[in-house]
Amino acid sequence: MPTINPKVRNASVRKLAKASSPNTNTAALALNAFGMVWVFGIVFGLLRLAFGLVYLAGFRHALEPIDDILPSELSNRLVTEFELRGPPTIMISSMVKSPITIGLFKPVVIFPRDLYPELSDEELAGVLFHELAHVQNRDHLLGVAQRLIVALNWWNPIPYFVSADFSKSMEELCDTRAIAAMNGPAAYA
């Protein structure tokens, strides 16, 4: 293995030391600091998403099944309209304030404990049409993808605005689907 003359090596090190000015070191430090902050933001966003998914999994185990069975006419209509294998899984919880659907692979419609007994069959149908439209549109998967994009681009305000508009559009689309299934807005309201 060839050896390097120590005088040549020392001269090369001195040239490199002269070439790296304080401005170069400052720029490198700033770039490293920016990179670390960027990575920290991404890790924070991904951890927030992961903890949210874990929380939902635990939340699902705390749900209570409903005592009532859906009216057979409504159940058959839902199965036909949304091409379901069977009636939707419906649960109640005192932890939600409005009907929601959760679950990536086995979606569950959750009603607030106080709201469910107060709904007429027509109102129940409207809520179920809206929530099952979310399931059919795969909004639960789109929501995870949407949050992942925001987490990876946490520093950019544009994904936040697009995400908010996208969420609003998903809700409007499900409202439109429910209105159509209920034969008009008066029945859905």
Side-chain angles (χ1 to χ4, degrees):
M1 185 168 203
T3 59
I4 299 175
N5 184 343
K7 290 181 182 178
V8 172
R9 185 180 54 168
N10 289 340
S12 297
V13 170
R14 274 186 253 127
K15 284 182 184 177
L16 283 174
K18 286 181 183 178
S20 63
S21 66
N23 291 339
T24 305
N25 288 337
T26 305
L29 284 173
L31 189 59
N32 284 338
F34 175 76
M36 290 180 70
V37 168
W38 183 65
V39 168
F40 175 76
I42 288 175
V43 168
F44 177 76
L46 293 176
L47 284 174
R48 187 171 168 224
L49 176 63
F51 284 126
L53 293 173
V54 169
Y55 174 79
L56 280 179
F59 174 72
R60 188 174 184 149
H61 293 299
L63 299 174
E64 300 172 34
I66 59 168
D67 295 332
D68 308 1
I69 297 175
L70 286 176
S72 61
E73 181 183 320
L74 175 58
S75 183
N76 292 339
R77 191 170 166 204
L78 291 169
V79 168
T80 303
E81 180 80 25
F82 293 98
E83 301 171 0
L84 302 173
R85 290 186 208 129
T89 304
I90 302 174
M91 304 280 211
I92 57 172
S93 174
S94 57
M95 297 175 65
V96 297
K97 294 183 178 14
S98 65
I100 61 169
T101 302
I102 65 167
L104 291 176
F105 303 109
K106 292 182 183 177
V108 174
V109 179
I110 306 166
F111 284 89
R113 178 185 305 286
D114 298 336
L115 176 66
Y116 184 76
E118 303 296 322
L119 294 174
S120 69
D121 286 350
E122 194 72 16
E123 291 168 331
L124 178 62
V127 172
L128 288 173
F129 275 113
H130 175 92
E131 293 302 325
L132 291 175
H134 281 297
V135 173
Q136 193 171 49
N137 296 340
R138 307 229 187 318
D139 289 348
H140 48 291
L141 295 174
L142 293 172
V144 171
Q146 174 183 349
R147 285 167 182 78
L148 182 62
I149 290 168
V150 168
L152 294 175
N153 296 286
W154 64 269
W155 49 270
N156 187 349
I158 293 173
Y160 292 94
F161 294 123
V162 170
S163 178
D165 283 346
F166 186 69
S167 294
K168 185 178 176 186
S169 296
M170 286 191 297
E171 288 300 323
E172 289 172 355
L173 180 64
C174 292
D175 283 340
T176 302
R177 177 78 188 271
I179 288 169
M182 298 294 296
N183 299 320
Y188 179 65

